[in-house]
């Protein structure tokens, strides 16, 4: 049994939850809630598990700890020797990792910076330094990123071509975060908007909040 330390509606934890669902691994995972809004992920006890103080973290049966969504997804995808999210050929792997990184830099991480710097974020107990101007710049960067991915999705059904991959999951995480902080997809991004509607109907995305017992308690 593996453990996933996360918070049920966090946008970064969503990436790993979606991967778990896509790989049909729910029965092999125990979720351990770490109170994001209470700042538990910055506590000394949690920092001992993950130096970065970020969620999620995967703990293996032998005690090995794997942080960072890309690394966790790579591990989960290759458990059965039949990866479906991170690519099988050198070309697929290269494209998926490139586009996943772009989705992180241009949308997800930019929205995160906006949240932590230009809004109340997680509150004064966590947000010890804020730069609102930088946060607003990153919000604008995220909007440019959305337009970039709109252009990509005008040409193909998924971020890297004809198949759902980790790159799509990363962009989904960005749009989940954007919804949380009320940063709307630009009106002229018809392809991205249509893709987002389609992705929200995918079972792994639609059911991500109810994967853990904690979510049921808060429902």
């Amino acid at each position: 049994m593996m453990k996933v330390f996360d918070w049920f509606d966090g946008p970064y934890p969503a990436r790993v939850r979606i991967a778990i669902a896509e790989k049909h691994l729910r029965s092999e995972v125990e979720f351990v809630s770490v109170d994001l809004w209470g700042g538990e992920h910055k506590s000394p006890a949690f920092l001992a598990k993950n130096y970065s103080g970020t969620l999620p973290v995967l703990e293996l049966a032998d005690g090995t700890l794997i942080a960072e969504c890309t690394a966790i997804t790579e591990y989960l995808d290759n458990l059965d020797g039949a990866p479906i999210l991170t690519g099988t050929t050198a070309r697929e792997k290269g494209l998926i990792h490139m586009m996943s990184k772009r989705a992180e830099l241009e949308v997800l991480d930019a929205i995160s910076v906006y949240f932590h710097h230009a809004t109340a974020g997680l509150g004064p107990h966590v947000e010890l330094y804020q730069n609102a101007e930088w946060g607003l710049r990153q919000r604008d960067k995220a909007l440019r990123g959305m337009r970039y991915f709109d252009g990509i999705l005008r040409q193909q059904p998924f971020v890297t071509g004809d198949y759902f991959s980790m790159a799509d999951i990363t962009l989904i995480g960005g749009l989940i975060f954007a919804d949380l902080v009320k940063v709307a997809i630009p009106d002229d991004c018809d392809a991205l908007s249509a893709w987002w509607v389609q992705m929200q109907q995918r079972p792994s995305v639609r059911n991500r909040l109810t994967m853990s017992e904690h979510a049921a308690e808060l429902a």
Side-chain angles (χ1 to χ4, degrees), residues 137-183:
R137 284 176 179 265
Q138 291 299 297
R139 178 201 60 190
D140 294 343
K141 177 181 179 179
L143 294 173
R144 292 193 298 272
M146 290 179 190
R147 288 193 166 92
Y148 166 73
F149 282 102
D150 180 71
I152 296 295
L153 292 165
R154 287 180 186 277
Q155 305 170 48
Q156 55 200 36
F158 298 102
V159 172
T160 56
D162 295 327
Y163 49 87
F164 182 85
S165 74
M166 179 174 65
D168 295 279
I169 294 175
T170 305
L171 184 56
I172 287 167
L175 296 184
I176 288 171
F177 211 158
D179 278 353
L180 286 172
V181 298
K182 302 187 183 339
V183 174

Side-chain angles (χ1 to χ4, degrees), residues 108-124:
L108 178 55
D109 289 351
I111 290 290
S112 178
V113 173
Y114 166 70
F115 170 70
H116 288 293
H117 283 272
T119 78
L122 294 175

Side-chain angles (χ1 to χ4, degrees), residues 72-134:
I72 296 171
T73 301
E74 187 85 38
Y75 176 83
L76 296 173
D77 198 29
N78 284 279
L79 273 179
D80 57 3
I84 59 171
L85 301 174
T86 56
T88 56
T89 67
R91 180 181 182 276
E92 287 177 352
K93 288 178 181 292
L95 286 173
I96 290 168
H97 279 265
M98 176 183 75
M99 296 305 287
S100 184
K101 188 63 176 177
R102 286 185 177 176
E104 278 188 341
L105 292 174
E106 305 300 327
V107 181
L108 178 55
D109 289 351
I111 290 290
S112 178
V113 173
Y114 166 70
F115 170 70
H116 288 293
H117 283 272
T119 78
L122 294 175
H125 57 295
V126 174
E127 313 296 359
L128 303 180
Y129 168 77
Q130 290 185 298
N131 183 327
E133 181 182 358
W134 177 240

Side-chain angles (χ1 to χ4, degrees), residues 9-103:
D9 66 349
Y12 288 88
R15 295 169 63 185
V16 168
R17 287 178 171 230
I18 293 167
I20 289 169
E22 292 286 340
K23 294 294 292 186
H24 305 290
L25 291 170
R26 175 63 188 90
S27 63
E28 300 180 37
V29 173
E30 174 189 352
F31 285 96
V32 180
S33 293
V34 179
D35 186 356
L36 193 65
W37 292 98
E40 188 179 355
H41 59 305
K42 301 299 184 182
S43 69
F46 186 76
L47 291 173
K49 288 187 176 295
N50 181 15
Y51 168 83
S52 300
T54 55
L55 299 174
V57 173
L58 175 68
E59 183 174 346
L60 308 184
D62 67 0
T64 299
L65 296 163
I66 303 176
E68 309 304 334
C69 294
T70 299
I72 296 171
T73 301
E74 187 85 38
Y75 176 83
L76 296 173
D77 198 29
N78 284 279
L79 273 179
D80 57 3
I84 59 171
L85 301 174
T86 56
T88 56
T89 67
R91 180 181 182 276
E92 287 177 352
K93 288 178 181 292
L95 286 173
I96 290 168
H97 279 265
M98 176 183 75
M99 296 305 287
S100 184
K101 188 63 176 177
R102 286 185 177 176

